[in-house]
């Protein structure tokens, strides 16, 4: 430890140069990362402890010590915890709020891990319900109207709960990606089956002549939509404008082309993912793109159809990109850099 002594100067005297240098050399304190609620609630009546526990759970707060709950520092977190503190004191308990920065013992990484673990449990519970729905749907036949309505209501409840979890998922738990994949698979199974094949229908434009169109897909892009958007901008329509919308209820404007979404012009056909459909419709025989299509297929459909040696690494990188970036544009930028590098690598291998 370095001890710094301070001396008081004469009133009105300017600070000495050494004092000024020392002040400028002192680093500013790091901002507090956490806001803590510290409370004391009597064991009786029991309802108050239960009520406050539910309030904190709804906010996504985690217990870092007994009766000490943390949230990442923000104005919203401060306001939410102030209301809870008021409830505690109004019912006879004690509550204090403080902003904190841990410098020993409990680490920031450990607290972040607690947040991820809590949200992982939430996502896992929803994924279990989504998995039951997916397993009960056929990949080849369309469900009856009554069955479809029941499934869509169940999926709507899962999506609503997922939105609540995402709102308190402060550090990007990995379970969100698995849940998104299951919900996408359920949507695919609810679609009327299409006949697979590389030929475009008469009402679709030839992808060899498409230029400057607006391409629309669902928000929260993952592997198939990232790769498809990259294929569109990099090869099919370099002047394309990309638009990300809510999955349900979107009415396309004139001239828009949708991909990888319900009733889209370009989406899954048979056992082909959207990237494969676009590549087939475009009609390019690039072996490097074909190899990328194999990777996208196996990661998106999880059927291990092609079993390329690069699949595990590709999966890890795409997952990391989606965890690091919540914004769709940022995901596409990072994914495009990855796919450009893969394409270059596969081209070089093909020449050997």
């Amino acid at each position: 430890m370095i001890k710094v002594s301070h001396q008081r100067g004469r009133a009105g005297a300017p600070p000495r140069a050494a004092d000024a240098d020392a002040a400028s050399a002192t680093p500013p304190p790091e901002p507090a990362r956490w806001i803590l609620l510290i409370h004391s609630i009597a064991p009786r009546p029991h309802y108050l402890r239960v009520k406050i526990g539910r309030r904190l759970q709804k906010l996504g707060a985690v217990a870092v010590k007994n009766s000490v709950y943390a949230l990442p520092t923000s104005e919203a977190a401060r306001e939410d915890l102030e209301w809870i503190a008021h409830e505690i004191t109004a019912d006879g308990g004690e509550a204090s709020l403080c902003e904190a920065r841990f410098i020993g013992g409990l680490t920031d990484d450990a607290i972040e891990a607690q947040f991820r673990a809590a949200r992982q449990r939430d996502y896992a519970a929803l994924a279990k319900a989504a998995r039951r729905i997916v397993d009960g749907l056929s990949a080849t036949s369309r469900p009856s109207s009554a069955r479809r309505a029941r499934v869509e209501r169940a999926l709507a409840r899962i999506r609503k709960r997922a939105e609540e979890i995402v709102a308190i998922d402060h550090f990007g738990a990995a379970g969100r990606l698995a849940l998104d994949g299951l919900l996408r698979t359920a949507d695919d199974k609810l679609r009327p089956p299409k006949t697979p094949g590389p030929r475009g229908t008469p009402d679709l434009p030839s992808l060899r002549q498409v230029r400057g169109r607006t391409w629309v897909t669902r928000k929260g892009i993952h592997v198939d939509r990232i790769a498809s958007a990259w294929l569109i901008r990099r090869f099919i329509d370099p002047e394309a404008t990309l638009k990300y919308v809510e999955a349900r209820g979107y009415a396309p404007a004139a001239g828009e082309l949708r991909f990888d979404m319900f009733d889209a012009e370009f989406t899954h056909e048979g056992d082909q993912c959207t990237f494969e459909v676009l590549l087939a419709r475009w009609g390019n025989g690039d072996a490097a793109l074909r190899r990328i299509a194999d990777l996208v297929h196996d990661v998106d459909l999880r059927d291990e159809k092609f079993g390329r040696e690069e699949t595990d690494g590709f999966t890890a990188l795409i997952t990391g990109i989606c965890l690091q970036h919540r914004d769709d544009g940022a995901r596409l930028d990072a994914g495009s850099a990855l796919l450009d590098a893969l394409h270059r690598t596969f081209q070089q291998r093909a020449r050997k």
Side-chain angles (χ1 to χ4, degrees), residues 197-215 228 231-240 255-259 265-267 269 274-284:
R199 297 186 179 276
T201 53
D203 58 330
L204 291 180
S206 167
L207 292 184
R208 289 291 180 181
Q209 281 85 43
V210 166
R211 286 293 182 275
R213 298 289 284 271
T214 296
W215 293 78
S228 295
L231 182 68
I232 290 164
R233 287 204 314 188
R234 180 79 164 76
F235 298 98
I236 295 173
D237 185 1
E239 302 169 12
E256 289 184 343
L257 294 173
R258 294 165 295 172
F259 64 98
E265 286 76 16
F266 303 97
T267 190
E269 294 184 1
T274 302
F275 185 92
E276 292 174 293
V277 170
L278 283 166
L279 187 59
R281 294 275 181 88
W282 184 45
N284 187 281

Side-chain angles (χ1 to χ4, degrees), residues 222-223 295-296 298-299 307-322 335 338-339 342 346 349:
H222 192 44
V223 59
L295 298 178
V296 174
D298 279 3
V299 176
R308 296 283 190 185
E309 62 180 352
E310 302 89 359
T311 302
D312 288 345
F314 182 62
T315 302
L317 289 168
I318 286 291
T319 300
I321 286 169
C322 292
L338 168 62
L339 290 162
L342 271 177
F346 291 155
R349 289 182 185 177

Side-chain angles (χ1 to χ4, degrees), residues 71-269:
L71 280 173
T73 298
S74 70
E75 288 301 319
R78 178 196 293 271
E79 183 176 353
D80 289 333
L81 291 180
E82 281 176 347
W83 277 108
I84 292 178
H86 176 73
E87 288 186 76
I88 293 171
T89 56
D91 282 335
E94 297 179 1
S96 299
L97 293 182
C98 70
E99 291 183 334
R101 179 170 62 88
F102 290 91
I103 59 175
L106 193 62
T107 66
D108 289 339
D109 287 345
I111 298 174
E112 289 183 17
Q114 283 187 254
F115 277 98
R116 290 194 187 93
R119 301 294 77 78
Q120 188 73 13
R121 291 191 292 271
D122 293 337
Y123 286 131
L126 280 187
K128 186 176 180 180
R131 170 60 68 185
R132 286 197 295 268
I133 292 174
V134 168
D135 290 345
L137 292 171
S138 169
T140 57
S141 61
R142 184 179 183 181
S144 66
S145 297
R147 167 74 170 151
R148 183 188 182 93
R150 288 196 300 272
V151 170
E152 288 185 337
R153 286 195 296 271
L155 290 174
R157 289 192 295 270
I158 292 174
R159 286 192 175 91
K160 184 175 185 300
R161 175 59 183 143
E163 289 174 359
E164 294 171 352
I165 297 170
V166 169
I168 58 175
D169 185 10
H170 304 291
F171 298 101
R176 179 183 177 184
L177 299 180
L179 177 60
D180 286 347
L182 286 167
L183 293 174
R184 184 176 63 250
T185 300
D187 283 340
D188 291 342
K189 288 188 172 184
L190 284 175
R191 297 170 182 165
K194 295 183 179 183
T195 302
R199 297 186 179 276
T201 53
D203 58 330
L204 291 180
S206 167
L207 292 184
R208 289 291 180 181
Q209 281 85 43
V210 166
R211 286 293 182 275
R213 298 289 284 271
T214 296
W215 293 78
V216 182
T217 194
R218 295 173 288 136
K219 290 182 177 179
I221 60 175
H222 192 44
V223 59
D224 196 12
R225 280 166 286 160
I226 290 173
S228 295
W230 169 77
L231 182 68
I232 290 164
R233 287 204 314 188
R234 180 79 164 76
F235 298 98
I236 295 173
D237 185 1
E239 302 169 12
T241 298
L242 293 171
K243 186 176 179 181
Y244 310 102
V245 301
E246 296 296 337
R248 293 287 175 179
Y250 179 75
E256 289 184 343
L257 294 173
R258 294 165 295 172
F259 64 98
D260 200 52
M261 58 189 298
F262 187 72
D263 277 346
E265 286 76 16
F266 303 97
T267 190
H268 290 212
E269 294 184 1

